[in-house]
Amino acid sequence: MSFTQKRCRISASFLFRTVSNLHPIYQNLGSASPAKYPLIMGILNITPDSFSDGSHYNTLEQAERRALSMIDSGVDIIDIGGESTRPGAASVGEQEEIDRVVPIIERIRGCGVNISIDTSKAAVMKAAVEAGANMINDVRALQLDGALQTAAELEVPICLMHMQGKPRQMQQAPYYKDVVAEVLSFLQQRVKACENAGIGKQLISIDPGFGFGKTFEHNLMMLAHIERFAAFGLPVLAGLSRKSMLGEIAGKPVNQRLSSSLAVALVAMQKGARIIRVHDVEETSDIRKVYMALHNA
Ligand code: 7PM
């Protein structure tokens, strides 16, 4: 029996009691039974600095190879981004972002994997979905011009993320009285804005935005209480992979954060996160097997 068949048999759990009629992307696509396991979202950055040789052809080749390897490893959603949200990163023009992401979407569409477009720009959302993407991941929670209306028209699942400030200065002096309450309240307001724009609740997932305008203590507090986000009733996405909070905990540079990334992936799963956004799909897939085995014992 394949892993895919096995994972269909997982029984229901309170962790997964969410709004009824979830969009199929939040379920086990191609199967009659709903997902009772966390989904793995694999990160695919298409920026000139993310591949060894900046040439256009090589970038596309390498991106495709990486995508196929993630599919092999059991990825559920490939998150394709053409704009770096790194603090201080240069902003990317609309057409350039489209030119980066559309060719790779066209190459991997039809591989039986969900494709999410990591963007805040309405025009990029539209071009990506027309090319074959079936989810939007917006770190600005549809607050840029036209994004809310465009997302409503596209009728695809959408992840709303919280960020305090703007990427350029968000890490300068993050401040909260109660980080969990304030982030949750922002996400609730954005869900309401989506509903007012005609986006059904069943399309929406929420993300506290680890590292986006948060200190180390804020990030820890959000992970320690991530079940409070899950309690809101929408699928929670957690992006912790290789982030600086792990560097602080383990005292390791970004290329040595695999074990700490896996540890927090398991914690997030156990606390009810439904989508785990990661660089290391194969290893996270092993962690998910551990999670599921224990969950069903
Ligand atoms: C530098 C800093 C490079 C931060 C890359 C990053 C998330 C996301 C990112 C997340 C959602 C990274 C981040 N993080 N989208 N995009 N949630 N929904 O580490 O946590 O990948 S970019």
Side-chain angles (χ1 to χ4, degrees):
M1 189 187 283
S2 74
F3 178 61
T4 313
Q5 285 171 306
K6 274 186 205 148
R7 68 188 186 186
C8 299
R9 297 185 299 150
I10 310 307
S11 62
S13 146
F14 76 97
L15 288 178
F16 298 119
R17 209 179 288 147
T18 55
V19 292
S20 53
N21 302 318
L22 278 179
H23 187 274
I25 202 169
Y26 300 126
Q27 303 176 353
N28 189 5
L29 283 182
S31 142
S33 65
K36 303 304 177 201
Y37 56 91
L39 303 181
I40 298 175
M41 173 184 269
I43 301 168
L44 190 60
N45 285 323
I46 319 290
T47 49
D49 54 348
S50 40
F51 296 97
S52 56
D53 150 348
S55 90
H56 201 74
Y57 174 77
N58 268 307
T59 301
L60 190 56
E61 282 289 292
Q62 289 176 61
E64 183 180 25
R65 218 173 304 140
R66 199 168 288 183
L68 294 177
S69 139
M70 290 197 280
I71 293 170
D72 246 18
S73 306
V75 78
D76 298 287
I77 305 165
I78 296 183
D79 188 39
I80 300 182
E83 182 220 27
S84 181
T85 36
R86 207 178 312 245
S91 59
V92 177
E94 188 175 285
Q95 192 56 48
E96 180 168 5
E97 203 179 322
I98 291 172
D99 292 342
R100 285 181 187 177
V101 298
V102 163
I104 181 70
I105 293 171
E106 286 172 343
R107 283 220 191 180
I108 61 176
R109 63 180 293 175
C111 286
V113 71
N114 296 298
I115 301 172
S116 134
I117 175 68
D118 182 350
T119 192
S120 299
K121 299 187 185 80
V124 181
M125 293 172 188
K126 192 163 187 291
V129 171
E130 279 167 2
N134 62 343
M135 180 173 183
I136 296 166
N137 172 27
D138 184 3
V139 299
R140 293 175 185 83
L142 302 180
Q143 294 180 100
L144 292 196
D145 283 351
L148 199 54
Q149 199 199 324
T150 300
E153 286 164 8
L154 294 172
E155 292 182 294
V156 295
I158 160 91
C159 175
L160 303 171
M161 198 196 79
H162 174 272
M163 163 161 47
Q164 185 180 84
K166 301 216 163 82
R168 212 168 271 281
Q169 43 69 259
M170 66 186 176
Q171 288 308 106
Q172 278 168 20
Y175 177 79
Y176 304 84
K177 277 203 189 79
D178 179 339
V179 65
V180 175
E182 288 168 45
V183 170
L184 189 54
S185 153
F186 168 84
L187 292 171
Q188 286 167 341
Q189 285 169 35
R190 293 312 297 159
V191 171
K192 225 173 265 160
C194 284
E195 287 188 281
N196 292 339
I199 300 173
K201 229 176 171 170
Q202 75 284 354
L203 291 176
I204 305 171
S205 51
I206 55 172
D207 180 347
F210 290 98
F212 285 85
K214 281 103 183 173
T215 63
F216 174 65
E217 287 75 20
H218 295 142
N219 288 318
L220 265 191
M221 195 64 86
M222 294 202 308
L223 179 57
H225 299 289
I226 199 168
E227 73 280 356
R228 282 177 58 191
F229 294 95
F232 184 54
L234 297 179
V236 170
L237 188 152
L240 291 150
S241 186
R242 300 183 189 173
K243 284 193 176 169
S244 68
M245 67 181 287
L246 304 176
E248 283 204 43
I249 294 173
K252 299 242 173 117
V254 67
N255 60 344
Q256 292 170 38
R257 294 180 192 160
L258 175 58
S259 15
S260 51
S261 296
L262 296 175
V264 289
L266 183 59
V267 168
M269 287 177 195
Q270 284 182 323
K271 287 176 169 285
R274 290 200 63 176
I275 308 176
I276 313 293
R277 184 177 180 276
V278 299
H279 299 87
D280 304 285
V281 173
E282 187 179 352
E283 293 85 349
T284 308
S285 168
D286 287 348
I287 289 292
R288 177 169 64 179
K289 290 178 191 174
V290 172
Y291 164 80
M292 291 194 301
L294 286 170
H295 193 65
N296 292 298

